[in-house]
Amino acid sequence: MTYTVQIKVMPLKELLDPQGKAIEGGLQNLGLNNVEDVRVGKNISLQINADTPDQAKQIAEEASKKLLANPVMEYFEVSVN
Amino acid sequence: MTYTVQIKVMPLKELLDPQGKAIEGGLQNLGLNNVEDVRVGKNISLQINADTPDQAKQIAEEASKKLLANPVMEYFEVSVN
């Protein structure tokens, strides 16, 4: 069966996120002052052929560890729909 | 109150996604052959000060339309936690 999997890769909370800071500044210039702590990461959607949702999740976690996320700077979250 | 809002910005389904194609190739080279249709977008997390979750969502949608998503190439989804 084919499962749709979403992988969210975000910068670690301890690190600065210059892209997020830039967006925060941009939003304030547009008059949206009630927005803070903006952080920008990646969202990767995949179709995974697997027997069970758990197996699909395992494949997605392997893909994240091997290719998609840099553990020095990023963490990832996998969700299977 | 402060709400944590996630905005997912993904390339439109009608468009090619070269970055996703590259990841798909990379995963196959790593032996993960059961992955297909990889698409890469952005995930933006924000803290929004608002009175209700609905209001926070509205602010996030305004931010997406004005700054975060390019409607010619991308669609966005807002979720309030």
Side-chain angles (χ1 to χ4, degrees):
Chain A
M1 216 188 124
T2 305
Y3 296 93
T4 303
V5 179
Q6 306 279 340
I7 303 174
K8 200 168 84 174
V9 181
M10 297 295 287
L12 290 172
K13 293 199 198 333
E14 299 79 30
L15 299 180
L16 285 174
D17 178 11
Q19 200 183 354
K21 279 280 166 222
I23 288 178
E24 202 174 317
L27 290 174
Q28 275 166 11
N29 289 340
L30 289 169
L32 293 164
N33 302 309
N34 28 22
V35 179
E36 45 190 41
D37 196 14
V38 181
R39 299 186 78 79
V40 184
K42 281 177 289 185
N43 187 72
I44 300 147
S45 95
L46 319 91
Q47 303 288 331
I48 299 183
N49 291 312
D51 297 330
T52 62
D54 273 356
Q55 202 194 342
K57 191 173 182 180
Q58 216 176 334
I59 292 169
E61 281 172 355
E62 192 184 342
S64 304
K65 281 178 198 154
K66 283 190 177 168
L67 186 70
L68 302 173
N70 170 7
V72 178
M73 300 182 64
E74 294 166 329
Y75 69 94
F76 65 88
E77 283 171 23
V78 174
S79 62
V80 180
N81 303 338
Chain B
M1 216 190 125
T2 304
Y3 296 94
T4 302
V5 179
Q6 306 278 341
I7 303 174
K8 201 169 84 174
V9 181
M10 297 297 286
L12 289 172
K13 294 197 200 328
E14 299 79 31
L15 300 179
L16 286 175
D17 178 11
Q19 200 183 352
K21 279 281 165 219
I23 288 179
E24 202 174 318
L27 290 174
Q28 275 168 10
N29 289 340
L30 289 170
L32 294 164
N33 302 308
N34 28 20
V35 179
E36 44 190 41
D37 196 15
V38 181
R39 300 187 76 80
V40 184
K42 283 176 290 186
N43 187 70
I44 301 147
S45 95
L46 318 92
Q47 302 288 331
I48 298 183
N49 291 312
D51 298 330
T52 63
D54 273 355
Q55 201 193 345
K57 191 172 180 182
Q58 215 176 337
I59 292 169
E61 282 173 355
E62 194 183 341
S64 304
K65 281 180 199 155
K66 284 189 177 168
L67 187 70
L68 303 173
N70 169 8
V72 177
M73 301 183 62
E74 295 166 328
Y75 69 94
F76 65 88
E77 283 172 22
V78 173
S79 61
V80 181
N81 303 338

